[in-house]
Amino acid sequence: MTELIAFLEPDRSVTDRRAAILSDLDNLLPEGCLITEERELVPFDTDAFVSYRRMPLAVVLPETTAQVAAVLKYCNDNRIPVVPRGAGTSLSGGAIPQEDAIVIGVSKLNRILEVDFPNRAAVVQAGVTNISISQAVDADGFFYAPDPSSQLACTIGGNIGMNSGGAHCLKYGVTTNNLLGVKIVMFDGSIVQIGGKALDSAGYDLLGLICGSEGQLGIVTEATVRLLAKPEGARPVLFGFQSSVAAGACVTDIIGAGIIPVAIEFMDKPAIEICEAFANAGYPMDVEALLIVEVEGSDAEMEAMLERIIEIARKHGVKTIKESQSATEAALIWKGRKSAFGATGRIADYICMDGTVPLGQLSHVLEKTSEIIDRYGLRVANVFHAGDGNMHPLILFDANDPEESMKAEMAGNDILKLCVDAGGCLTGEHGVGIEKRDLMRHQYTDTDLAQQMRVRAAFDPKWILNPSKVFPLDGRNGSYEARPASGKTAA
């Protein structure tokens, strides 16, 4: 397959020293924390953006912050690139390594260190899975709000790197809105604590800068996250429409009316069929588009909000309204939605896009997305966080067909450009990674990018942290000694 996305050429001064580097790392780490055998490195050669693979020099799985610091200092002193990795669920290639890089994974940093109910906070290591925080505090009536579809596997460290969202972030916000502090290891091995249990800290908002920085400013080893009290009740309701345009217009009017449900999720007909076949969730099969709208609060509060939402839905010709009647039904509704990516993988290869658009542009972008997909002769299943305009078209293709694979990537690029042109942005929660790196100039001017790269270089002057990601390889900040790239860059 011809690759659209380029990688930096491996630094031969690093790869030629592999044996010595591995020996040095072995001396820095306890037994079982260093992976060097090729067959054991294979699981780390890509992430959920499986169209691209690179074999790393080695993989380090540290057990403590001090070990992360020792490895980072060594890599910085020896100009060895480092790729941070959570659970490898990145859909933008954010954790794909390169041949001269050490992968530092956080899977062994997997303990919940403290739960502090009076301050409504928890201190967790970066390798703790997203869902395990809510599971740990559920019996006490609390939860952690951000809920990516990969929450069974994805780590808090990865969530911080990509500023992950989820279905219920319409009301509660994404990771940055639920993050209070981090312990982070800088490029030179120094360890810094930023923020904490207090609601705000003096000085620059470095926490806001780190959240969403895709592992390019340092490696987070611990996080202090916000805990919220569980609502009195919650009820998801299914709304079926005759067209995607009508469903999109309904979402716009719900938010425009000042109504903020806890979640508004969208599925078009292909997505409905895929998810229903997998989960048997009770989705209506005679509609072209489906909204899952969840409200929460007391019974009276939920009834009042649903009454207003139903009134708006009827103005858009809603065909089906189905309220969950039990906790089991509610769980099934969300099982179908949360399983969308996995269920789609059962029937075809796919690329999941992540553009975000203003709500007033939802219907327009859905129409134009269909036109783009038709132009390339492909198929698409749309399933996304409609309440905040975070689009997730799943472009279906055959990965064994090089021409079709190329078309899928090109169609994805066109859809992301469409989102930007509609007043949105390239990513809502998946990050830029390598997938959108060469589209950054479509959203930002060279001046904008230069300023962002100056900030990045202030944290990592040698650009050893995740160096192939986020910024176009050509025209990088002058403090970065750029190596030539291999492969072709996307148009």
Side-chain angles (χ1 to χ4, degrees), residues 440-441 444-458 463 471-472 474-479:
M440 288 284 275
R441 285 200 179 96
Y444 299 105
T445 66
D446 286 344
T447 302
D448 295 333
L449 289 173
Q451 185 57 52
Q452 292 179 44
M453 287 187 281
R454 289 188 191 102
V455 173
R456 187 220 189 281
W463 284 62
F471 299 107
D474 61 322
R476 288 190 172 195
N477 187 286
S479 62

Side-chain angles (χ1 to χ4, degrees), residues 133-143 230:
I133 301 176
S134 290
Q135 289 174 337
V137 299
D138 179 74
D140 294 284
F142 289 85
F143 72 108
K230 290 196 296 185

Side-chain angles (χ1 to χ4, degrees), residues 17-214:
R17 291 184 288 126
R18 184 174 188 264
I21 291 170
L22 298 187
S23 177
D24 290 341
L25 290 173
D26 193 42
N27 290 331
L28 287 174
L29 295 163
E31 186 177 353
C33 293
L34 178 64
I35 299 175
T36 61
E37 295 296 327
E38 183 172 346
R39 63 184 179 83
E40 295 177 341
L41 292 174
V42 170
F44 299 91
D45 70 357
T46 189
D47 54 21
F49 190 54
V50 296
S51 298
Y52 293 82
R53 298 176 182 273
R54 292 292 187 277
M55 191 70 74
L57 197 73
V59 173
V60 171
L61 301 176
E63 298 172 335
T64 67
T65 297
Q67 291 170 14
V68 175
V71 173
L72 260 186
K73 183 180 187 306
Y74 173 80
C75 289
N76 180 65
D77 290 345
N78 290 275
R79 300 187 70 92
I80 302 167
V82 170
V83 177
R85 183 183 179 96
T89 59
S90 169
L91 288 158
S92 64
I96 294 178
Q98 52 196 57
E99 294 88 344
D100 58 351
I102 303 297
V103 171
I104 299 183
V106 297
S107 59
K108 292 189 176 185
L109 297 167
N110 56 13
R111 291 185 297 130
I112 296 177
L113 301 174
E114 182 186 1
V115 174
D116 183 349
F117 290 124
N119 286 306
R120 297 196 173 192
V123 181
V124 305
Q125 291 184 308
V128 165
T129 58
N130 175 285
I131 200 169
S132 65
I133 301 176
S134 290
Q135 289 174 337
V137 299
D138 179 74
D140 294 284
F142 289 85
F143 72 108
Y144 176 64
D147 59 339
S149 293
S150 59
Q151 67 182 151
L152 287 170
C154 65
T155 65
I156 289 299
N159 289 175
I160 293 169
M162 299 302 185
N163 191 20
S164 301
H168 290 87
C169 291
L170 172 60
K171 179 176 180 179
Y172 295 116
V174 293
T175 299
T176 192
N177 306 113
N178 294 274
L179 182 66
L180 298 172
V182 296
K183 181 177 286 187
I184 184 169
V185 182
M186 311 309 293
F187 74 99
D188 60 356
S190 58
I191 301 169
V192 179
Q193 177 68 46
I194 298 173
K197 295 178 184 177
L199 293 180
D200 202 1
S201 301
Y204 291 123
D205 183 16
L206 296 178
L207 189 63
L209 188 63
I210 288 165
C211 189
S213 61
E214 304 197 26

Side-chain angles (χ1 to χ4, degrees), residues 33 46 58 134 161 171 193 207 232 264 320 349 379 417 423 459:
C33 293
T46 189
S134 290
K171 179 176 180 179
Q193 177 68 46
L207 189 63
E232 183 176 340
I264 305 179
T320 302
D349 302 300
R379 296 177 296 154
K417 290 177 182 178
F459 282 78

Side-chain angles (χ1 to χ4, degrees), residues 261-402:
V262 68
I264 305 179
E265 296 293 295
F266 175 101
M267 293 185 188
D268 64 6
K269 191 172 185 62
I272 295 168
E273 292 172 346
I274 290 168
C275 294
E276 180 63 18
F278 178 81
N280 296 311
Y283 294 160
M285 302 301 292
D286 59 345
V287 298
E288 294 298 318
L290 174 68
L291 296 180
I292 302 173
V293 181
E294 183 166 277
V295 297
E296 64 180 21
S298 67
D299 287 342
E301 288 171 329
M302 290 190 290
E303 290 295 340
M305 186 175 289
L306 278 175
E307 184 177 331
R308 295 177 64 195
I309 293 170
I310 289 170
E311 182 181 350
I312 292 170
R314 283 178 174 151
K315 291 179 182 178
H316 293 279
V318 66
K319 182 176 180 180
T320 302
I321 301 173
K322 180 180 178 182
E323 295 187 35
S324 59
Q325 300 299 317
S326 66
T328 300
E329 281 192 13
L332 274 175
I333 287 172
W334 283 116
K335 179 184 177 183
R337 169 60 186 91
K338 293 283 187 178
S339 302
F341 293 174
T344 303
R346 297 168 69 212
I347 67 165
D349 302 300
Y350 69 87
I351 298 176
C352 176
M353 309 314 297
D354 176 43
T356 298
V357 300
L359 291 184
Q361 294 292 317
L362 267 181
S363 295
H364 165 71
V365 171
L366 283 167
E367 281 189 289
K368 292 298 182 182
T369 294
S370 294
E371 292 176 11
I372 290 170
I373 294 299
D374 288 345
R375 188 164 68 243
Y376 283 98
L378 300 171
R379 296 177 296 154
V380 67
N382 285 290
V383 50
F384 59 88
H385 311 311
D388 53 6
N390 190 186
M391 312 282 288
H392 290 320
L394 307 181
I395 303 172
L396 311 182
F397 69 102
D398 180 1
N400 294 317
D401 183 335

Side-chain angles (χ1 to χ4, degrees), residues 8 13 27 46 89 111 188 259 280 345 373 378 384 404-405 421 423 431-432 462 470 480:
L8 294 170
S13 70
N27 290 331
T46 189
T89 59
R111 291 185 297 130
D188 60 356
I259 304 169
N280 296 311
I373 294 299
L378 300 171
F384 59 88
E404 198 163 287
S405 298
D421 293 343
V432 175
K462 297 177 184 176
V470 181
Y480 175 55

